[in-house]
Amino acid sequence: MAMNTSSGTDGVFSFDHRDMMVFILVMSLHGLQSMITELLPEFSIGGLGVSIGPFWFVAMAVVLLFRSFWACLAIPVGGIVFGEILIGDFSALGAIEGLVVITASWFFVMALVTDPSDPKQIAALGFLAKAMEEFAAWLIDVGKFYVGVEELEAIQWLPETVWATEGMGALVQIIVAGIVFGAVPAYFLYPRLRGKIEPLLGMEPLSGRDGPMFDRTAMKRLVAWVLLLPVAFVFETLSETSGGLITFQPQFVETYGQSFLFVPIVIAALLAFGLVFYRQQKTEV
């Protein structure tokens, strides 16, 4: 029987040493590419500021290789650890929205995989996860305006334009991050990683399943995603009004300059490639 992550036989939330390795690998890889893109300039489309990163194809390819809850959770944790804590700009309440929305989106999408050998399906589902994340962020941002914790970025005499203003920003991010720097490169990267990364962690590639993509498991996870959106909204609203509850904000980048971004980049690279090197040495013994 193939040795996979524990999600297959011991329960989807169980955690063992293999889940730990997957968690560390996804967290560090996502943190690495997120910080690399922080060094790239922002550009605008029709007056809307658009950031290139993070390069979502890394998460799309790696997370859908393992398809465990812990791999999904590792994506936002990587952003928090390397993109907030290590650069000295962390707010506990402010981090919860991404933690909830990103994890729930990927956890739902990975239940739709029926043929993990098909890069077209993987790329499409990776895009769906990013689209769900941006759609949820759009609803939350608009909701913050209606409860009065965010300034209106709309025509003063027509507040409803906030839906279009925030929606255009979300749509641009879906196209840029979800397609250009997401699904398209993931389509080519995923088949080159499948069957090569898993053995380094002492696992075998996960198999597919029969039946429709949207089965009972997927339905339950979609319901969970919907129910978690108000939770994410409440915590994000509280973060705007309470000062973040627990904060760590020495602002290292402001103090030492952009070159400080290389600190989390180096740490993430050492963690990711160190884990792969260690496991490679173990498999060769």
Side-chain angles (χ1 to χ4, degrees):
M1 183 176 178
M3 182 181 293
N4 295 313
T5 58
S6 59
S7 60
T9 57
D10 303 323
V12 73
F13 298 111
S14 60
F15 191 76
D16 63 15
H17 70 282
R18 292 165 293 178
D19 295 298
M20 172 66 79
M21 290 187 294
V22 169
F23 182 85
I24 293 173
L25 180 63
V26 174
M27 178 188 71
S28 54
L29 285 177
H30 185 66
L32 174 63
Q33 53 84 35
S34 296
M35 296 315 300
I36 289 175
T37 55
E38 283 293 322
L39 297 172
L40 302 177
E42 186 175 281
F43 63 96
S44 63
I45 298 178
L48 295 172
V50 180
S51 57
I52 295 177
F55 293 141
W56 274 94
F57 65 90
V58 177
M60 291 181 184
V62 179
V63 170
L64 292 173
L65 283 176
F66 299 103
R67 306 204 308 276
S68 72
F69 169 79
W70 303 104
C72 300
L73 180 63
I75 299 177
V77 170
I80 293 170
V81 171
F82 297 100
E84 297 181 17
I85 295 176
L86 288 182
I87 66 172
D89 187 18
F90 172 72
S91 167
L93 287 177
I96 292 178
E97 177 196 352
L99 200 67
V100 171
V101 170
I102 296 174
T103 302
S105 298
W106 280 97
F107 193 52
F108 162 68
V109 164
M110 75 177 194
L112 302 177
V113 178
T114 57
D115 184 6
S117 64
D118 182 6
K120 294 191 295 294
Q121 183 179 107
I122 295 299
L125 293 179
F127 166 75
L128 176 60
K130 181 58 180 172
M132 291 177 68
E133 176 200 338
E134 291 295 338
F135 178 73
W138 172 45
L139 295 179
I140 290 172
D141 287 342
V142 171
K144 287 192 297 182
F145 155 68
Y146 279 105
V147 298
V149 298
E150 189 169 272
E151 292 184 4
L152 175 65
E153 294 183 8
I155 301 173
Q156 294 297 326
W157 51 266
L158 189 58
E160 289 76 11
T161 57
V162 71
W163 287 92
T165 303
E166 297 292 343
M168 283 301 298
L171 179 60
V172 170
Q173 283 301 121
I174 289 173
I175 294 172
V176 174
I179 299 177
V180 179
F181 296 104
V184 173
Y187 174 82
F188 297 99
L189 177 64
Y190 177 82
R192 288 164 175 77
L193 295 180
R194 188 169 189 266
K196 301 178 180 65
I197 296 296
E198 302 95 329
L200 293 177
L201 301 185
M203 308 171 196
E204 294 182 11
L206 292 175
S207 58
R209 62 174 175 82
D210 298 324
M213 294 179 67
F214 192 80
D215 59 4
R216 179 175 296 182
T217 298
M219 180 181 68
K220 291 179 180 178
R221 294 184 186 183
L222 182 59
V223 170
W225 181 84
V226 172
L227 295 178
L228 284 170
L229 289 188
V231 176
F233 172 73
V234 169
F235 278 105
E236 182 62 17
T237 301
L238 288 175
S239 74
E240 299 281 348
T241 57
S242 66
L245 188 63
I246 300 174
T247 61
F248 174 69
Q249 297 178 322
Q251 303 292 344
F252 294 131
V253 176
E254 285 75 5
T255 303
Y256 301 106
Q258 285 290 103
S259 59
F260 190 85
L261 293 175
F262 286 100
V263 173
I265 287 174
V266 171
I267 294 175
L270 289 174
L271 193 59
F273 296 109
L275 174 64
V276 172
F277 177 77
Y278 169 75
R279 287 300 309 173
Q280 188 175 25
Q281 296 302 309
K282 293 281 287 185
T283 56
E284 291 176 356
V285 174

